[in-house]
């Protein structure tokens, strides 16, 4: 990285945003091609002096909250947000995460056997970061066409907050987002470096929809309930879910989906290739 790529990028993006883009009057005698430094500072909720230090390279370690606020104020798109995060990683020596117990990514044989027994019900195994470690073929047939299994490893948290398809997929996106942030808070304390790293990443890349939830008081996630999905092949599905906790040392939990009504039961039968009526609908 050159001497001050972060500051140069912030300044370039500031000059590319017009006052009209952010609802400000253009005014007269503007020497700045885009936003004034004071205008961006006000929009992002930081001081003009601090923004000047960032742009001039006198501070190269802004918090994720500050970067997320600047990204929101500058109307950065997802690719620009990712680039901004990369610049700050470089400024910090590209240290992704300090030492700590890594999130479990291996699956015990008995847990895999349990998933096999659950076929063809959609079921998946998640670690404390919301990464999908294993799943039934029923879940693959349900979630694959939706993009939920994209990524290596797939991450429900990243999908919901950073994938443009998520809001159309989840009619109750706000509630799903609340539940995932509550899960992150419950699964690990805020001093967990791996959770903190994920939270910092999403604060920058996803911006306010994630950061505001992270900052707000949160109750525990619901271990059971009904989730609605809009499927391109099957239409709207109502899925009742049950969350089963594995031993604490595993740091994993199993989520099993069952149809919450007869229409969803028939749709799942078609998706999984099971004979009609093979999955029993539950009330609710």
């Amino acid at each position: 990285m050159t001497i001050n790529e972060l500051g140069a990028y912030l300044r370039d993006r500031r000059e590319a945003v017009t006052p009209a883009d952010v609802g400000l009057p253009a005014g007269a005698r503007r020497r700045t091609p885009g936003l004034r430094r004071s205008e961006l500072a006000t929009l992002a909720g930081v001081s003009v002096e601090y923004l000047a230090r960032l742009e001039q390279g006198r501070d190269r370690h802004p918090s994720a909250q500050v970067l997320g606020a600047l990204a929101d104020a500058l109307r950065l798109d997802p690719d620009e947000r990712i680039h901004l995060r990369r610049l700050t990683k470089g400024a910090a020596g590209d240290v992704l995460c300090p030492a700590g117990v890594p999130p479990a990514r291996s699956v015990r044989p008995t847990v895999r056997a349990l998933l096999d027994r659950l076929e063809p019900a959609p079921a998946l195994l998640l670690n404390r970061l919301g990464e999908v470690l294993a799943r039934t073929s029923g879940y693959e047939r349900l979630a694959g066409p939706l993009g939920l299994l994209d990524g290596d490893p797939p991450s429900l948290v990243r999908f919901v907050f950073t994938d443009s398809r998520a809001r159309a997929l989840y009619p109750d996106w706000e509630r799903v987002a609340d539940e995932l942030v509550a899960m992150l808070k419950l699964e690990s304390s805020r001093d967990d470096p791996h959770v903190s790293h994920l939270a910092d990443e999403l604060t920058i890349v996803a911006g306010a929809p994630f950061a505001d939830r992270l900052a707000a008081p949160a109750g525990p996630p619901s271990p059971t309930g009904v989730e609605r999905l809009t499927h391109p092949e099957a239409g709207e599905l109502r899925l009742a879910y049950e969350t089963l906790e594995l031993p604490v040392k595993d740091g994993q939990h199993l989520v099993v989906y069952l149809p919450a009504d007869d229409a969803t039961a028939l749709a799942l039968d078609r998706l999984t290739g099971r004979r009609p009526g093979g999955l029993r609908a539950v009330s609710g």
Side-chain angles (χ1 to χ4, degrees), residues 28-34 36:
R29 297 182 180 179
R30 296 186 67 91
R31 294 180 297 172
T32 304
R36 296 186 177 104

Side-chain angles (χ1 to χ4, degrees), residues 120 265-266 268-270 272-280:
L266 291 173
L268 284 182
D269 287 339
R270 290 192 293 269
T272 61
R274 190 179 177 96
R275 63 180 177 80
L279 287 176
R280 179 177 299 175

